[in-house]
Amino acid sequence: MDLRVAQFDEMGGSNGAIRTPYLKLAQWLSGTPAELLASRREQAELLFRRIGITFAVYGAQEATERLIPFDILPRIIARSEWSALERGLKQRVTALNMFLKDIYGAGEILKAGKVPSELVYRNPGYCPEMAGRRAPHDVFVHIAGVDIVRTDDHGFYVLEDNARTPSGVSYMLENREVMMRLFPDLFAMHRVAPIEDYPDELLATLRSVAPPRATSEPTIALMTPGQYNSAYYEHSFLADKLGVELVEGRDLFVKDDVVYMRTTEGPRRVDVIYRRIDDDFLDPLTFRPDSALGVAGLIGAYHAGNVTLANAVGTGVADDKAMYTYMPDVIRFYLGEEPLLQNVPTWRCREREALSYVLDHLDELVVKEVNGSGGYGMLVGPHASRAQIEEFRDKLKAHPDNFIAQPTLALSTCPISVAQGIAPRHVDLRPFVLSGANGVRVVPGGLTRVAMTEKSLVVNSSQGGGTKDTWVIDDAILGAA
């Protein structure tokens, strides 16, 4: 499987002929003057500034808050393509939840030798405090963000699983709102699957996993590290959309293994916490004693069955990049099925032969830290300097267990609107998958992330990437094109 083939453009295909999902957009672009596109770009930026959508960049020399670049041309996926992708996403997240239940329980997959025990028990994301514990309704990952890349007309591949506190859904929702305001004519030409009900779906998911002692209207709170967190805008946005309280650790306390929220009317019991705080900072009595962000006794209340945490504690072991390489085996083991979505071919540098190959081909590969995120701690060989390559060579030799390597993918491109006209840029896709006692649901589309710099493969917002609205459109409309 060679994923380094000629670049695939999602509008122009491999041969330059407009692909069916993009026919109406191409027709619209051909009749739209450049001045109008420039005006819409300016209006979009103004709208986002008024809304206040920002992303904090740690360590940046300039202002700590940045506006995430937004491209006004939608990414379009046909319903038939999406349906296949959706089935694969549900399969994968179902297997992730079964894996987490197993490794904190009987450990059958470890006994069977399908996943190395040391990769689980020595993993920084493994939480010994969860050993022998079951998550409510056996759901550990309530909200998953699965990063998908495309290489050709049919090839979708999973690049990464995000099972801890995946972010980006607020940008997905705001992108759609801005697009509907700026381009009602484009929407009229397409039957676009709605995403506006995501907050309702998320709320239903959180309610479904409330403790048995909760009332029919469980109290839900969204727990944030505070205004200095890079995703604070999203935390406040989602709390508002869900109609729940946005709380910090200091707003909560535990008494007799029950979590309460301080309110102007006195303490109020909390049943479900959608937490956007890393495990280590959740409870100073269980994890880091110096944490000022958490709630003393929270894990005790969780173990007592009096509060549900979404996502559960200890899910980080499942989205480790080394663990990612075993996901096809995980799916086969628990579901008895072949994976519907393939992994990107990956070399585990912890294995001697793989390490030897990677060291000999550093200038061709992408090397990633197994616990890295946000586009940090990685080497893109073809775009790296000789000094950078040698630096990574030393890192690999010293700590091979900390790295995996993948081929430099020919990521698909989508058209974006720039001052010079229409230009292709590399993209990925982060669909959001909700899992609860009421089943598994996937919002149609997700967040498309764009490498705004020409020829760049890095789409992360922390590295200058932008976003697009993602349209899933009915095939019936395509036939009428």
Side-chain angles (χ1 to χ4, degrees):
M1 179 169 51
D2 186 0
L3 304 185
R4 295 168 293 173
V5 294
Q7 178 176 299
F8 172 73
D9 186 77
E10 295 192 16
M11 183 164 84
S14 300
N15 57 9
I18 302 299
R19 295 178 63 247
T20 304
Y22 281 87
L23 286 173
K24 290 183 180 293
L25 176 62
Q27 180 184 7
W28 180 85
L29 283 171
S30 67
T32 302
E35 294 78 13
L36 178 62
L37 291 177
S39 173
R40 292 291 188 270
R41 289 197 304 272
E42 292 174 3
Q43 290 177 50
E45 181 172 344
L46 180 61
L47 283 170
F48 280 118
R49 289 194 182 281
R50 286 178 177 172
I51 294 168
I53 299 181
T54 57
F55 186 91
V57 181
Y58 300 128
Q61 294 293 323
E62 61 271 31
T64 57
E65 298 287 334
R66 289 183 185 173
L67 191 71
I68 296 180
F70 171 71
D71 178 59
I72 60 174
L73 301 183
R75 181 188 195 173
I76 303 178
I77 300 173
R79 170 63 70 175
S80 56
E81 295 176 319
W82 173 254
S83 295
L85 190 53
E86 182 181 38
R87 289 192 296 272
L89 290 166
K90 288 183 175 180
Q91 179 196 58
R92 193 174 183 98
V93 173
T94 298
L96 275 172
N97 273 306
M98 296 176 76
F99 171 73
L100 287 162
K101 175 188 174 183
D102 185 27
I103 64 168
Y104 287 117
E108 296 296 340
I109 197 169
L110 307 180
K111 295 173 185 175
K114 299 298 182 181
V115 174
S117 296
E118 67 271 16
L119 203 60
V120 171
Y121 296 135
R122 295 180 184 176
N123 192 300
Y126 179 79
C127 180
E129 292 79 6
M130 286 297 290
R133 307 281 185 174
R134 292 181 65 174
H137 302 278
D138 292 329
V139 179
F140 282 76
V141 183
H142 307 85
I143 305 100
V146 183
D147 293 345
I148 301 290
V149 295
R150 189 172 195 173
T151 59
D152 57 35
D153 213 356
H154 305 288
F156 288 101
Y157 296 87
V158 177
L159 186 63
E160 189 171 304
D161 299 296
N162 297 277
R164 301 179 222 198
T165 54
S167 62
V169 76
S170 62
Y171 308 114
M172 174 191 77
L173 294 169
E174 291 286 28
N175 288 353
R176 176 61 54 87
E177 186 173 330
V178 168
M179 286 292 290
M180 292 181 74
R181 292 179 65 175
L182 293 180
F183 299 102
D185 50 340
L186 258 184
F187 275 93
M189 297 166 63
H190 299 84
R191 191 175 299 164
V192 183
I195 61 172
E196 294 78 15
D197 59 350
Y198 175 84
D200 294 333
E201 298 276 9
L202 174 57
L203 188 60
T205 296
L206 295 174
R207 283 175 172 164
S208 77
V209 295
R213 299 181 183 87
T215 65
S216 58
E217 290 292 329
T219 299
I220 299 171
L222 194 155
M223 187 178 178
T224 175
Q227 62 180 326
Y228 297 110
N229 183 264
S230 64
Y232 181 72
Y233 169 80
E234 174 157 298
H235 304 166
S236 59
F237 173 90
L238 283 175
D240 179 61
K241 290 291 185 182
L242 292 170
V244 304
E245 293 295 330
L246 179 68
V247 299
E248 297 182 30
R250 61 190 177 185
D251 301 317
L252 304 174
F253 68 93
V254 176
K255 182 179 180 181
D256 298 328
D257 284 337
V258 175
V259 181
Y260 294 93
M261 173 171 54
R262 295 182 173 89
T263 76
T264 56
E265 299 176 353
R268 182 180 180 185
R269 181 169 178 161
V270 178
D271 302 302
V272 181
I273 298 176
Y274 176 19
R275 53 98 174 197
R276 297 296 293 263
I277 295 178
D278 291 341
D279 290 358
D280 284 349
F281 299 94
L282 277 175
D283 183 346
L285 298 183
T286 303
F287 301 118
R288 286 183 54 159
D290 61 340
S291 173
L293 302 176
V295 184
L298 178 59
I299 299 304
Y302 177 71
H303 288 332
N306 293 325
V307 69
T308 298
L309 297 176
N311 289 346
V313 177
T315 56
V317 66
D319 67 10
D320 174 277
K321 291 180 176 63
M323 191 62 66
Y324 155 92
T325 65
Y326 290 92
M327 274 307 298
D329 295 319
V330 168
I331 291 170
R332 295 184 189 103
F333 184 81
Y334 295 113
L335 301 178
E337 302 169 355
E338 285 300 309
L340 299 175
L341 292 174
Q342 300 300 314
N343 275 14
V344 173
T346 304
W347 288 270
R348 303 167 185 148
C349 296
R350 64 195 300 272
E351 299 172 359
R352 183 175 299 177
E353 288 187 10
L355 175 62
S356 177
Y357 179 87
V358 171
L359 290 173
D360 288 342
H361 297 83
L362 277 176
D363 59 340
E364 304 170 11
L365 302 173
V366 176
V367 182
K368 302 176 181 179
E369 292 182 354
V370 296
N371 291 303
S373 63
Y376 296 105
M378 63 185 289
L379 173 81
V380 181
H383 298 166
S385 67
R386 177 53 55 186
Q388 290 170 327
I389 289 175
E390 293 309 313
E391 178 186 353
F392 258 79
R393 190 185 305 280
D394 292 340
K395 289 181 179 180
L396 281 163
K397 289 179 178 179
H399 302 287
D401 288 8
N402 293 347
F403 297 92
I404 55 99
Q406 295 171 330
T408 306
L409 301 180
L411 296 185
S412 65
T413 59
C414 282
I416 72 167
S417 175
V418 295
Q420 296 76 20
I422 306 301
R425 293 291 187 271
H426 292 291
V427 295
D428 79 354
L429 177 66
R430 177 174 289 181
F432 295 93
V433 186
L434 301 176
S435 301
N438 52 2
V440 183
R441 312 175 188 186
V442 188
V443 64
L447 178 68
T448 288
R449 302 185 300 176
V450 190
M452 300 300 288
T453 304
E454 185 177 3
K455 297 183 180 180
S456 173
L457 297 172
V458 181
V459 300
N460 306 78
S461 54
S462 56
Q463 303 287 300
T467 66
K468 273 177 170 289
D469 192 13
T470 309
W471 292 7
V472 174
I473 64 173
D474 281 359
D475 291 86
I477 297 296
L478 302 181

